[in-house]
Amino acid sequence: MHYWLMKSEPDVFSIDDLQERPGHTTHWDGVRNYQARNMMRDDMSVNDLVLFYHSSCKVPGIAGIALIARAAYPDFTSWNPESEYYDPKSSAGNPRWYMVDVKSVRKFKHLLPLEELKKHEALHDMPLLRRGNRLSIMPVSKAHWDYILALAGRNNG
DNA sequence: GCCAACGTTGGC
DNA sequence: GCCAACGTTGGC
């Protein structure tokens, strides 16, 4: 059992968008970074839990919780020339990129802002808060997970 | 829109 | 395999 944080730009795809999908589920396409791909492909399992993070927006932060509904499989957008995620070096026969299916568990009543996370010494060694880390998928330790859920509980009073 | 930090690319 | 140039991310 692993815990994760996955970033999405809410203007592109928010937790509300996820909840509006059939079965509250979508395929997480467009990951084009090898480190993130390897984590998805090698370490993500069905029912792993995910912090759904809103990035590149007015108030970045954790918007809710999701889970991995399907383990990694080839990202078919990578061999679709029409897709913005097209990669000519990837094909159905030899896929370069992978995706998982993500299902919403719950949306926080109040977003837990990045600014708030930074105030907590206990979270300072999270990859998310380390400078220069721009990965769109990051592992979250059990200790950090529990701490953040407690925070979210308080935040949602 | 700025810019620091990183990843990727490609010439050599 | 080095490394400069370029592109991307993402908070501010």
Side-chain angles (χ1 to χ4, degrees):
Chain A
M1 171 82 188
H2 290 108
Y3 300 93
W4 304 97
L5 180 144
M6 296 172 84
K7 294 180 186 173
S8 186
E9 298 183 22
D11 293 345
V12 179
F13 191 82
S14 70
I15 195 161
D16 294 309
D17 295 324
L18 181 58
Q19 293 192 317
E20 283 165 16
R21 291 295 170 96
H24 297 186
T25 303
T26 195
H27 54 268
W28 202 267
D29 59 14
V31 173
R32 295 293 179 268
N33 170 283
Y34 288 106
Q35 248 183 291
R37 179 203 67 180
N38 293 348
M39 284 191 277
M40 273 200 303
R41 192 189 54 191
D42 304 335
D43 299 325
M44 274 188 179
S45 309
V46 169
N47 292 328
D48 277 2
L49 290 168
V50 176
L51 298 171
F52 193 112
Y53 183 86
H54 283 176
S55 68
S56 293
C57 53
K58 198 165 180 187
V59 185
I62 299 167
I65 295 170
L67 61 76
I68 303 301
R70 182 181 169 186
Y73 57 105
D75 182 343
F76 48 78
T77 66
S78 68
W79 57 77
N80 174 9
E82 309 289 300
S83 170
E84 60 174 314
Y85 300 125
Y86 178 59
D87 178 353
K89 290 174 181 164
S90 184
S91 65
N94 186 18
R96 171 175 294 209
W97 304 110
Y98 285 78
M99 58 187 174
V100 295
D101 285 356
V102 170
K103 177 177 181 172
S104 175
V105 173
R106 67 189 173 93
K107 175 187 171 181
F108 291 160
K109 204 185 302 172
H110 305 289
L111 178 127
L112 192 52
L114 175 63
E115 196 182 18
E116 170 69 22
L117 300 176
K118 284 180 175 173
K119 290 178 187 165
H120 295 265
E121 182 67 36
L123 300 177
H124 281 183
D125 52 343
M126 279 187 86
L128 177 72
L129 302 183
R130 285 209 305 261
R131 73 195 299 244
N133 200 327
R134 299 163 305 146
L135 279 180
S136 63
I137 296 175
M138 305 180 184
V140 175
S141 72
K142 171 97 169 83
H144 288 154
W145 177 274
D146 291 343
Y147 192 95
I148 287 169
L149 257 65
L151 264 188
R154 256 193 278 162
N155 200 37
N156 285 274

